[in-house]
Amino acid sequence: MKVNANIFWLLAVFFAVVAVAYSIWSYFVSLAQIEDYAQRVGPGGITEGHPEWVGTIALALCAVLAGFIAFYIGKVHKAQGGELPEDRLDANIDDGDPELGHFSPWSWWPIVLAGAGSLVMLGLAVGVWISFIGAALTFVAIVGWVYEYYRGNFSH
Amino acid sequence: MNRPNVVAVGTIVWLGSEVMFFAGLFAIYFTLRGTSPELWASETAILNVPFALTITIILVASSFTAQFGVFAAERLQPRRTGSLLQFTKWGMVEWFWATFVMGALFVIGQVFEYATLVSEYIGLTSHSYGSAFYITTGFHGLHVLGGLIAFLLIIGRAYAVTRFGHKEATSAIVVSYYWHFVDVVWIGLFLVIYVLK
């Protein structure tokens, strides 16, 4: 887990450096374009230089994305108090078989939800009235899925 | 030893993808702002900043109540042990209802703000400022709405179970992660749209 966190930190630093380089570079490119415009067409138009926004923001937030995951994985690693069996060379397969969480053995609800979502999208394409039916079914599917193990046989 | 909670780690990775979704929206906003600075100068003057600040404070406060709800869920305490007014004895359900009310106030405030702006001739299709404003704040508003529905589902789970356990606490925690995320995105949007203009 420590290695996982460090890889994401590395990515975060990389994207941060690239974002700064990209914004400065594209700023000077815009200055050159303004000068070029003034020489060929004459004064006027946009006079202030600016970085190229789409790439600058995308790269900067890539750094945030990687740093965010790195920070969380680092926190998880600290909280687990030791290395997981899968991170140890001397571990056996049966060392890693505690309860991992609740996994539904099978369920119809994902298919219902996918079908309802398809109806919403279909409605946007061919006629919005279908979307309303899809939205109602989406509501039923979400409630059905969330409460699948909270009623009937499985209520606890 | 504590194994990492797969639901929590998965939620964080998904929120990472949400960061990139909002990156696209911020990119739209800054690009359009760069291409028509005069439009931005005239239209941002119409914004009601004190009102936006008020609903921002309400949303930020709702993150704190959500976190107190998480503390209660981690104690595996779904319901209050004292009276309704003794908020130190509230359980997860009471704190999440408080969060829900404040989140709903934020959405109501946004609807009111939209209605006011439309009456001042800023619509979604009026010009590029209108598009940028409604697309960024609108997608954020839809996220808040989704969070409100998620809180209702979590509160419903707490009512549905007889024994509130770690599975219920986990779903409460990941919904709070989402809520904090949406809150932080709004702080970014608020700074860009209402402060930086």
Side-chain angles (χ1 to χ4, degrees), chain B:
Chain B
M1 198 162 85
N2 273 322
R3 282 198 71 88
N5 186 328
V6 286
V7 178
V9 175
T11 304
I12 292 293
V13 173
W14 170 66
L15 288 178
S17 82
E18 288 272 281
V19 170
M20 298 320 291
F21 174 80
F22 281 100
L25 298 182
F26 278 109
I28 292 172
Y29 185 88
F30 277 104
T31 304
L32 292 175
R33 181 172 176 268
T35 52
S36 35
E38 311 83 26
L39 187 64
W40 250 251
S42 65
E43 300 304 300
T44 54
I46 300 173
L47 292 175
N48 185 346
V49 179
F51 181 79
L53 181 66
T54 311
I55 61 173
T56 301
I57 290 168
I58 292 173
L59 191 67
V60 172
S62 79
S63 249
F64 285 90
T65 54
Q67 195 54 39
F68 281 111
V70 167
F71 293 149
E74 284 172 342
R75 298 195 297 267
L76 303 182
Q77 186 204 339
R79 312 289 287 271
R80 65 173 192 264
T81 49
S83 76
L84 190 58
L85 293 175
Q86 289 175 287
F87 63 87
T88 51
K89 291 182 176 172
W90 277 6
M92 184 200 81
V93 165
E94 286 79 18
W95 283 114
F96 277 8
W97 273 123
T99 310
F100 180 87
V101 168
M102 285 196 273
L105 278 176
F106 175 83
V107 175
I108 292 166
Q110 256 197 329
V111 169
F112 178 76
E113 187 192 22
Y114 283 9
T116 315
L117 285 177
V118 168
S119 77
E120 285 160 341
Y121 306 105
I122 300 181
L124 180 61
T125 53
S126 305
H127 38 56
S128 58
Y129 180 76
S131 305
F133 176 84
Y134 287 112
I135 289 173
T136 49
T137 58
F139 270 113
H140 178 270
L142 287 177
H143 276 79
V144 176
L145 210 58
L148 291 180
I149 294 168
F151 273 120
L152 284 187
L153 293 169
I154 298 302
I155 291 168
R157 273 189 168 180
Y159 285 135
V161 290
T162 42
R163 200 167 45 79
F164 187 93
H166 286 286
K167 190 190 168 197
E168 288 72 34
T170 295
S171 51
I173 290 166
V174 298
V175 168
S176 86
Y177 285 171
Y178 174 77
W179 193 253
H180 295 322
F181 168 81
V182 169
D183 196 355
V184 169
V185 168
W186 178 257
I187 293 172
L189 280 173
F190 178 78
L191 291 177
V192 166
I193 294 176
Y194 295 93
V195 180
L196 185 67
K197 297 187 174 175

Side-chain angles (χ1 to χ4, degrees), chain A residues 8-66:
Chain A
F8 276 106
W9 279 126
L10 204 66
L11 278 172
V13 171
F14 171 74
F15 281 124
V17 170
V18 171
V20 171
Y22 184 86
S23 65
I24 294 172
W25 192 340
S26 62
Y27 176 79
F28 284 110
V29 168
S30 81
L31 284 186
Q33 281 172 340
I34 290 166
E35 203 175 319
D36 183 50
Y37 183 87
Q39 274 179 1
R40 286 189 298 114
V41 189
I46 294 170
T47 51
E48 275 178 54
H50 60 85
E52 192 281 307
W53 288 112
V54 176
T56 303
I57 291 170
L59 288 167
L61 286 183
C62 275
V64 172
L65 155 75

Side-chain angles (χ1 to χ4, degrees), chain A:
Chain A
M1 283 296 268
K2 207 170 169 50
V3 178
N4 305 31
N6 286 341
I7 289 173
F8 276 106
W9 279 126
L10 204 66
L11 278 172
V13 171
F14 171 74
F15 281 124
V17 170
V18 171
V20 171
Y22 184 86
S23 65
I24 294 172
W25 192 340
S26 62
Y27 176 79
F28 284 110
V29 168
S30 81
L31 284 186
Q33 281 172 340
I34 290 166
E35 203 175 319
D36 183 50
Y37 183 87
Q39 274 179 1
R40 286 189 298 114
V41 189
I46 294 170
T47 51
E48 275 178 54
H50 60 85
E52 192 281 307
W53 288 112
V54 176
T56 303
I57 291 170
L59 288 167
L61 286 183
C62 275
V64 172
L65 155 75
F68 177 55
I69 296 175
F71 171 76
Y72 189 78
I73 291 180
K75 253 190 72 147
V76 165
H77 178 253
K78 262 198 202 115
Q80 75 193 12
E83 290 302 325
L84 296 173
E86 49 265 51
D87 287 333
R88 294 175 54 141
L89 290 174
D90 59 346
N92 291 311
I93 288 176
D94 61 344
D95 292 333
D97 70 344
E99 196 180 315
L100 295 179
H102 173 86
F103 297 94
S104 177
W106 61 271
S107 172
W108 289 109
W109 290 114
I111 292 182
V112 177
L113 184 62
S118 308
L119 282 181
V120 173
M121 290 301 161
L122 181 73
L124 292 178
V126 300
V128 92
W129 60 274
I130 302 173
S131 294
F132 289 106
I133 297 171
L137 283 175
T138 302
F139 177 75
V140 172
I142 286 177
V143 172
W145 194 347
V146 170
Y147 291 103
E148 183 168 22
Y149 293 100
Y150 287 83
R151 56 200 190 86
N153 274 339
F154 300 106
S155 61
H156 55 278

